[in-house]
Amino acid sequence: AQSVTQLDSHVSVSEGTPVLLRCNYSSSYSPSLFWYVQHPNKGLQLLLKYTSAATLVKGINGFEAEFKKSETSFHLTKPSAHMSDAAEYFCVVIDNNNAGNMLTFGGGTRLMVKP
Amino acid sequence: KAGVTQTPRYLIKTRGQQVTLSCSPISGHRSVSWYQQTPGQGLQFLFEYFSETQRNKGNFPGRFSGRQFSNSRSEMNVSTLELGDSALYLCASSPTGAYGYTFGSGTRLTVV
């Protein structure tokens, strides 16, 4: 069975300061890991993905995440927050089992960016 | 390239009715999955279809069903609607599913 835990339900940063959104996962198989962002009243947009290649993954809008197998973590970072980054972020694991693909979502982290 | 299209965007139904939601995936995508998003439960997996076959099903009652057509378009049906079915229903498509999904904007269902 797979599970995803996002350690903070809310994160507040000032514009121009670093962002850290934390995610821990458990998976019975070799997982694929993703971060998605959801702006109000919108669908989910893929930020980045890890699929067993490089452990440091770069995504869109300056975001990146590092896969650490020993810590079962996949934390999302950005060096400098922008007002437009305010949104909800979801860490997602896909277990690629023989029966197909099932996405498991973390509970989400709402990022607030103060001017 | 067109994205994932979900129709309708908004829907209001009465308790006890049934509803059908539609999802048109990106051209060439054979995997379509559905999710329910509520403030209390977050995002929960409903089911996944690949080439007209249901490959995975989440932990939802039998009132929730779906199907996929030969052109990969998918429908989701909820019968005997309950107030707790009010949610944003999201559809997502992928070529195979293993390397990420593209999501539609969702259908917001309100049950009164």
Side-chain angles (χ1 to χ4, degrees):
Chain A
Q2 55 194 21
S3 66
V4 181
T5 303
Q6 291 182 242
L7 297 163
D8 307 292
S9 60
H10 292 82
V11 168
S12 181
V13 301
S14 296
E15 191 174 21
T17 64
V19 176
L20 170 64
L21 306 184
R22 298 181 294 166
C23 171
N24 285 102
Y25 71 93
S26 70
S27 173
S28 304
Y29 302 91
S30 178
S32 297
L33 293 158
F34 305 81
W35 277 98
Y36 282 86
V37 61
Q38 185 178 34
H39 290 277
N41 300 313
K42 296 286 180 65
L44 278 74
Q45 180 186 17
L46 179 65
L47 275 179
L48 49 79
K49 59 186 176 186
Y50 167 78
T51 53
S52 74
T55 56
L56 183 62
V57 181
K58 293 189 184 298
I60 62 171
N61 301 335
F63 285 94
E64 61 181 39
E66 186 171 8
F67 173 71
K68 292 187 177 180
K69 187 174 181 178
S70 61
E71 299 176 10
T72 59
S73 69
F74 190 56
H75 300 334
L76 181 70
T77 60
K78 182 172 180 177
S80 176
H82 191 272
M83 295 297 290
S84 61
D85 294 328
E88 187 145 25
Y89 292 78
F90 293 94
C91 183
V92 181
V93 61
I94 295 180
D95 259 348
N96 305 310
N97 60 49
N98 291 331
N101 303 292
M102 190 172 84
L103 275 69
T104 300
F105 288 81
T109 298
R110 186 166 297 280
L111 175 65
M112 293 167 283
V113 182
K114 297 175 290 188
Chain B
K1 174 167 154 178
V4 178
T5 303
Q6 291 188 247
T7 56
R9 287 296 310 277
Y10 301 92
L11 206 49
I12 300 176
K13 289 287 189 178
T14 304
R15 199 169 35 175
Q17 286 187 313
Q18 77 162 19
V19 67
T20 299
L21 311 181
S22 179
C23 172
S24 293
I26 291 173
S27 178
H29 285 195
R30 295 165 66 189
S31 175
V32 174
S33 55
W34 289 88
Y35 305 85
Q36 182 195 65
Q37 185 176 27
T38 60
Q41 300 297 318
L43 275 152
Q44 293 185 284
F45 170 78
L46 280 156
F47 25 67
E48 184 219 1
Y49 286 88
F50 185 86
S51 294
E52 302 180 66
T53 301
Q54 186 181 88
R55 290 202 297 192
N56 273 303
K57 190 178 192 312
N59 189 25
F60 278 82
R63 300 185 296 107
F64 291 82
S65 63
R67 59 179 176 169
Q68 187 181 32
F69 302 95
S70 58
N71 61 359
S72 292
R73 190 177 72 84
S74 178
E75 286 183 348
M76 188 193 112
N77 184 274
V78 188
S79 62
T80 321
L81 283 165
E82 300 177 359
L83 296 179
D85 297 333
S86 295
L88 180 66
Y89 290 88
L90 292 164
C91 166
S93 76
S94 172
T96 64
Y99 299 106
Y101 281 80
T102 302
F103 283 79
S105 297
T107 293
R108 184 163 296 281
L109 171 66
T110 303
V111 182
V112 298

